Amino acid sequence: MPRRAIENWKRKLILLILILLFAIIISLNIGYAKIPATRILRVIVEEITPFPTSGHSGASEMEKSIIIDLRLPRILGGALIGLGLSTAGVVFQGVFRNPMADPYVIGVSSGAALGAALAIVLNVGFTVFGVSTLSVMAFLFSLTAVFIVFNLARTGPKIPVTTLLLSGLAVSIMFSAFVSLLQLMSGWELHRLVYWMMGGLSGIQWRDLKSAAPLILGGVVGVYLYSRDLNIMTLSEEEAQHLGVNVERSKRILLALGSLITAASVSISGLIGFVGLIIPHLTRIMVGPDHRVLTPASITTGATFLVACDSLARSILPPLELPVGLVTSLTGAPFFLYLLRKRGKGYRM
């Protein structure tokens, strides 16, 4: 990569990080309780500093609780899920060489929905290491769906991309049918189930972040280490094989990492659409198709996008709070239509 291009990429990445920090600060200031931004920053510094500075922020105990226990885990959760779904979108679009692929293409969302529906309808109320059973079952069923899809698509030692997509579609339809059946049987729990499936960040707590962050961040690092392979695989599998890439091994690892990231994200937030679909396209327009640049750019852009959408969800119709999945769909759909128009005029991955 030319030195000038590297410098240009660094400037763009620093700018994206600054925009993300700005979005987080603005989002911390949004809520029913009006707390000045300077006081919010002082409370956060007071909480994270290793030295005893209690009382220097000038905030009451209630304000500290609102910032530290309610807003901060929610906003950091939004950033974590945004960067996770965006990275998974980069993986699936790169491996499938399909601009319409998203993190839910091989059944992760339907598996998570079935796990959550079972937890809600059966009223399973215990926790596992402090994490709610709903999140645990959503995570386990999403991985189960991916495991079934992989085994259905396997042909000898290979996993053909087209067969994988079709298997994912079939399993998604089957799991969705079970979810519909559970919705009919859910009775008074129907509202809770529908709200979860629309995606939301309001229930995220620190223990959710502690359980999901290692999986999501570890998966993101793993994907970045395979950026070079993703670059070559976007040409064609035959060319990648000639250039020394073990295509089948790289494809399995990347799809496993993308599925793991998606499952961990969905388990704590519900189904949030369009993030993994539009963010890779948006960043590809900004920084180009090189996955060594595209992946970190998508990470910061996806985190910023979901934090901004959550801010809108909390402030657009006060005191009503919209599910953030509804906001991402309302903002993502127009961009998707724009992308289709642009693709018709020559847009390429």
Side-chain angles (χ1 to χ4, degrees), residues 246-257:
N246 188 332
V247 174
E248 287 304 318
R249 188 188 68 179
S250 297
K251 191 164 60 178
R252 287 169 190 261
I253 292 174
L254 284 165
L255 290 177
L257 290 173

Side-chain angles (χ1 to χ4, degrees), residues 114 117 121 175-187 193:
L114 180 57
V121 173
F175 276 33
S176 297
F178 283 123
V179 172
S180 298
L181 178 62
L182 289 170
Q183 283 179 316
L184 288 174
M185 300 166 58
S186 58
L193 176 56

Side-chain angles (χ1 to χ4, degrees), residues 7-60:
E7 293 297 325
N8 186 37
W9 169 69
K10 286 181 179 176
R11 282 196 293 272
K12 288 182 178 178
L13 184 59
I14 291 171
L15 178 62
L16 290 172
I17 292 173
L18 291 176
I19 293 173
L20 172 60
L21 293 175
F22 181 73
I24 289 175
I25 293 171
I26 294 295
S27 187
L28 280 168
N29 201 32
I30 293 175
Y32 185 76
K34 303 299 179 188
I35 306 173
T38 52
R39 190 178 300 169
I40 291 172
L41 292 175
R42 284 201 297 268
V43 169
I44 294 174
V45 171
E46 184 179 288
E47 291 296 322
I48 64 175
T49 184
F51 306 106
T53 57
S54 180
H56 289 184
S57 65
S60 65

Side-chain angles (χ1 to χ4, degrees), residues 220-253:
V220 168
V221 172
V223 169
Y224 184 75
L225 295 177
Y226 276 82
S227 297
R228 176 183 169 276
D229 287 12
L230 262 178
N231 278 344
I232 300 174
M233 288 167 66
T234 52
L235 300 173
S236 73
E237 292 191 4
E238 291 76 14
E239 288 184 63
Q241 199 79 46
H242 287 307
L243 291 171
V245 175
N246 188 332
V247 174
E248 287 304 318
R249 188 188 68 179
S250 297
K251 191 164 60 178
R252 287 169 190 261
I253 292 174

Side-chain angles (χ1 to χ4, degrees), residues 11-342:
R11 282 196 293 272
K12 288 182 178 178
L13 184 59
I14 291 171
L15 178 62
L16 290 172
I17 292 173
L18 291 176
I19 293 173
L20 172 60
L21 293 175
F22 181 73
I24 289 175
I25 293 171
I26 294 295
S27 187
L28 280 168
N29 201 32
I30 293 175
Y32 185 76
K34 303 299 179 188
I35 306 173
T38 52
R39 190 178 300 169
I40 291 172
L41 292 175
R42 284 201 297 268
V43 169
I44 294 174
V45 171
E46 184 179 288
E47 291 296 322
I48 64 175
T49 184
F51 306 106
T53 57
S54 180
H56 289 184
S57 65
S60 65
E61 290 301 318
M62 180 177 290
E63 288 176 331
K64 288 181 183 178
S65 179
I66 290 172
I67 296 167
I68 300 299
D69 298 330
L70 295 179
R71 293 184 186 176
L72 197 55
R74 174 183 184 143
I75 292 165
L76 293 181
L80 182 69
I81 294 162
L83 73 86
L85 292 177
S86 302
T87 305
V90 169
V91 170
F92 285 104
Q93 290 178 9
V95 171
F96 291 126
R97 299 192 299 280
N98 187 334
M100 303 304 167
D102 72 357
Y104 302 146
V105 72
I106 56 174
V108 174
S109 60
S110 55
L114 180 57
L118 283 170
I120 292 172
V121 173
L122 298 178
N123 199 22
V124 183
F126 59 88
T127 60
V128 179
F129 299 113
V131 182
S132 71
T133 318
L134 190 151
S135 297
V136 173
M137 289 186 69
F139 178 73
L140 293 178
F141 272 75
S142 58
L143 291 186
T144 301
V146 172
F147 178 77
I148 293 172
V149 169
F150 267 68
N151 280 281
L152 287 174
R154 181 181 297 163
T155 305
K158 294 187 176 181
I159 301 179
V161 168
T162 304
T163 312
L164 189 63
L165 284 169
L166 293 175
S167 300
L169 179 64
V171 170
S172 293
I173 292 172
M174 184 179 69
F175 276 33
S176 297
F178 283 123
V179 172
S180 298
L181 178 62
L182 289 170
Q183 283 179 316
L184 288 174
M185 300 166 58
S186 58
W188 291 104
E189 298 290 350
L190 179 62
H191 177 267
R192 185 182 169 201
L193 176 56
V194 171
Y195 195 84
W196 185 90
M197 292 178 66
M198 293 173 75
L201 306 177
S202 59
I204 293 180
Q205 300 178 9
W206 286 112
R207 60 173 178 265
D208 298 313
L209 292 181
K210 289 177 183 176
S211 64
L215 299 175
I216 296 174
L217 297 178
V220 168
V221 172
V223 169
Y224 184 75
L225 295 177
Y226 276 82
S227 297
R228 176 183 169 276
D229 287 12
L230 262 178
N231 278 344
I232 300 174
M233 288 167 66
T234 52
L235 300 173
S236 73
E237 292 191 4
E238 291 76 14
E239 288 184 63
Q241 199 79 46
H242 287 307
L243 291 171
V245 175
N246 188 332
V247 174
E248 287 304 318
R249 188 188 68 179
S250 297
K251 191 164 60 178
R252 287 169 190 261
I253 292 174
L254 284 165
L255 290 177
L257 290 173
S259 301
L260 182 67
I261 293 170
T262 307
S265 302
V266 170
S267 67
I268 61 172
S269 68
L271 306 181
I272 298 177
F274 275 101
V275 179
L277 180 63
I278 63 172
I279 296 301
H281 287 296
L282 182 63
T283 49
R284 198 174 284 116
I285 292 171
M286 289 192 296
V287 301
D290 188 336
H291 287 84
R292 294 170 297 178
V293 182
L294 179 64
T295 303
S298 294
I299 287 170
T300 49
T301 307
T304 304
F305 176 72
L306 199 53
V307 169
C309 284
D310 183 52
S311 300
L312 278 176
R314 285 186 285 144
S315 59
I316 197 169
L317 290 174
L320 181 65
E321 182 177 311
L322 300 177
V324 72
L326 186 64
V327 178
T328 59
S329 298
L330 288 173
T331 54
F335 178 78
F336 192 68
L337 293 173
Y338 161 77
L339 186 68
L340 287 176
R341 296 277 299 173
K342 191 173 179 64

